[in-house]
Amino acid sequence: MHRRFTPLAAIAAVAALALSACTAGTESAAPLTGRQASQKAAQPQTVELWHGFSADSEVKAFEDAVAAFKTKFPHITVKLTKGVQDDQIIQAIRGGNPPDIASSFTTDNVAQFCKTGMFQDLMPSIQADKVDLNVLPAVVRSYTEYEGKRCVMPLLADAYGLYLNTKLMDGNPAPKTLTELADLAKKLTKRKPNGDIEVAGFLPSVQYYENTPSHLGPMVGGKWYNADGTSAIGSDPAWKQLLKWQKELVDWFGHDKIEKFRKGLGQEWSDDNPFHKGKVAMALDGEWRNAMIKNSGIDLDYTTAPLPVADDKPGLYGSGFVAGTIIGIPKGAKHPEAAWQLIRYLTTETDGLVTLSNALRNVPTTSAALQSPQLAKDANFQTFLDIFSHPKTNTLPAHINSVFNQDTFTTFIQKWEQGKVKDLDAGLAEVDKAINDKLKLAGG
């Protein structure tokens, strides 16, 4: 099992489609509520759920969860369609033939889904059924709504932490501060006689797999947006703190050495992942890596820990970044009442969440599911459950230009790593300007 992410360019194209999608497709009212909803949902019917998982074990997880749902709602038949991505969902909505339920791997399109009406407002159903959203942590609630409108629910979550190769760590404890991480990265790095990297203690480049700005930001408490949606990147000193630390470590390795090493590594989602192969001693990654290591069959002795944090912000230690899979009812759904019953089961009822978590090895999103004795966990998975539950754990808030903003900042950091940015303050100000100009074009 592993998580699958849509490339930024593809998501950007999806977002462009979303802007015009609110005027296309079949019009439909929100799900009925109260007695009418109960009567309609009680009628024999078939609902179709599209999801992005495709591996046999992942598909079976959904089948098992739906089977449990079927015992509660025997009159509702669920048709599952696997391997569906956001662009296919949007095209179906525009064409007037959407599924009753759609699930997405990324939270980057939540603002688009809610703002354009592509996904239906779930609050009438939530209120009618007296669903207590406080069972969801505040950070999860924040990435599943936009401007007060809730058009999706969280299905499962991802949390990010540090993986450590026990053999390569050679008895050193997990670093807790950025200084400790940099010192240990240097200590554990092995070079060839010509200076090329043979084993990296830790790769600081944002071009390395999961080292995105959003995943690294919690290490310093980086803030993305002001209350009005404008960029806070240039004005928040936390980002400068992170980038100066990162650049010092990149320079120690040598940017050209990092690039040569990085380009020779195995694929992130394959058994040739460099952490699996002992080419990287410490790596930032999500909870799903535990399952990938187990399923690969390799004999790898490793541990997990929270990400190190800024030396002057010890209170952040134990926290991290979270996001996750979302699920909702597309505009034009033929059976929204029955669709809501399935969504409610999968996202708020402990049995459904635990069934999916145990099979997919992602983090369940309610307090009850996290505490369930049926939830399978060991010490390495528990690390991510603790990160998810930490009060200072954060996410990337929903934003109408989420992908553009992330891409803009990532591109800047790549130039910063290469030594092409001479004035950090001026460069971050340009990032702010690009993000704010795009927001004005979007009507923000």
Side-chain angles (χ1 to χ4, degrees):
M1 191 288 302
H2 59 78
R3 303 280 297 146
R4 294 172 177 79
F5 297 92
T6 308
L8 286 178
I11 296 176
V14 169
L17 283 171
L19 288 174
S20 61
C22 58
T23 59
T26 302
E27 294 296 332
S28 65
L32 298 172
T33 59
R35 184 176 180 181
Q36 285 182 306
S38 298
Q39 291 175 339
K40 190 165 184 180
Q43 299 171 5
Q45 55 199 293
T46 298
V47 297
E48 187 170 8
L49 188 162
W50 289 5
H51 63 81
F53 297 99
S54 58
D56 290 344
S57 60
E58 299 168 346
V59 173
K60 186 178 185 302
F62 266 89
E63 292 173 345
D64 290 346
V66 166
F69 169 79
K70 185 78 172 175
T71 64
K72 285 193 167 189
F73 298 87
H75 60 285
I76 299 178
T77 299
V78 181
K79 178 182 177 183
L80 296 170
T81 300
K82 65 181 181 179
V84 181
Q85 304 301 320
D86 281 17
D87 55 348
Q88 296 168 277
I89 296 168
I90 290 174
Q91 292 288 8
I93 295 171
R94 297 182 72 200
N97 190 34
D100 296 292
I101 308 166
S103 174
S104 170
F105 282 143
T106 177
T107 60
D108 289 330
N109 289 325
V110 169
Q112 298 283 4
F113 289 157
C114 291
K115 186 180 180 70
T116 63
M118 294 185 64
F119 277 48
Q120 299 181 31
D121 187 0
L122 299 177
M123 281 308 297
S125 297
I126 290 170
Q127 293 169 348
D129 286 353
K130 296 183 171 61
V131 174
D132 182 8
L133 292 178
N134 289 321
V135 301
L136 305 173
V139 67
V140 174
R141 298 198 301 271
S142 73
Y143 70 66
T144 49
E145 64 181 12
Y146 180 69
E147 294 183 341
K149 185 176 182 181
R150 173 168 296 282
C151 66
V152 294
M153 289 287 283
L155 188 55
L156 291 173
D158 294 317
Y160 293 79
L162 191 67
Y163 284 76
L164 308 105
N165 182 305
T166 302
K167 181 179 179 180
L168 296 180
M169 290 294 289
D170 194 28
N172 290 284
K176 292 186 176 182
T177 67
L178 291 181
T179 295
E180 290 177 357
L181 176 58
D183 290 345
L184 196 53
K186 296 173 185 178
K187 180 180 179 180
L188 300 181
T189 294
K190 298 178 182 178
R191 295 183 186 264
K192 299 176 182 179
N194 65 355
D196 287 350
I197 302 168
E198 184 174 4
V199 176
F202 177 84
L203 280 180
S205 174
V206 293
Q207 296 192 74
Y208 179 68
Y209 301 148
E210 298 298 325
N211 289 7
T212 66
S214 58
H215 298 167
L216 294 167
M219 299 168 76
V220 295
K223 179 182 177 183
W224 281 81
Y225 305 119
N226 299 308
D228 60 358
T230 56
S231 177
I233 293 171
S235 60
D236 184 358
W239 290 113
K240 287 180 61 177
Q241 182 181 31
L242 176 67
L243 294 183
K244 287 181 178 179
W245 170 86
Q246 181 223 20
K247 184 66 163 62
E248 189 278 332
L249 192 52
V250 168
D251 289 347
W252 180 86
F253 276 104
H255 183 267
D256 59 332
K257 299 296 184 183
I258 289 178
E259 284 300 281
K260 184 176 181 179
F261 179 71
R262 184 180 66 83
K263 291 177 180 178
L265 297 176
Q267 293 295 318
E268 178 179 6
W269 303 114
S270 74
D271 290 345
D272 288 330
N273 181 288
F275 184 76
H276 295 202
K277 293 295 185 179
K279 300 293 290 182
V280 175
M282 299 178 288
L284 185 163
D285 215 333
E287 82 291 331
W288 63 83
R289 181 63 54 188
N290 289 293
M292 290 193 70
I293 292 171
K294 180 179 179 180
N295 293 340
S296 69
I298 61 174
D299 182 17
L300 179 63
D301 188 7
Y302 74 99
T303 58
T304 60
L307 290 172
V309 299
D311 295 54
D312 60 343
K313 300 171 184 174
L316 291 177
Y317 188 72
S319 66
F321 179 85
V322 299
T325 305
I326 55 174
I327 190 168
I329 304 173
K331 171 186 172 184
K334 298 178 180 64
H335 307 287
E337 291 78 22
W340 164 247
Q341 294 300 328
L342 179 54
I343 289 176
R344 183 180 67 169
Y345 175 80
L346 292 176
T347 62
T348 66
E349 296 199 22
T350 301
D351 290 347
L353 277 169
V354 170
T355 296
L356 286 175
S357 177
N358 285 345
L360 301 176
R361 303 316 292 141
N362 298 134
V363 179
T365 49
T366 68
S367 302
L370 287 167
Q371 298 166 8
S372 171
Q374 304 305 316
L375 180 63
K377 50 191 172 184
D378 56 24
N380 284 330
F381 190 68
Q382 183 66 49
T383 296
F384 297 91
L385 299 180
D386 293 340
I387 291 170
F388 177 80
S389 302
H390 195 282
K392 293 189 180 297
T393 282
N394 63 35
T395 189
L396 184 62
H399 194 284
I400 199 69
N401 296 321
S402 180
V403 175
F404 174 85
N405 300 343
Q406 294 176 70
D407 203 11
T408 297
F409 194 21
T410 301
T411 299
F412 170 77
I413 298 176
Q414 289 173 1
K415 293 179 180 178
W416 167 250
E417 291 178 8
Q418 296 166 11
K420 295 181 179 180
V421 177
K422 303 306 179 184
D423 187 329
L424 181 56
D425 288 312
L428 291 175
E430 285 298 313
V431 171
D432 282 347
K433 184 178 186 302
I435 290 174
N436 295 338
D437 286 349
K438 182 71 170 178
L439 180 62
K440 290 178 184 178
L441 290 174

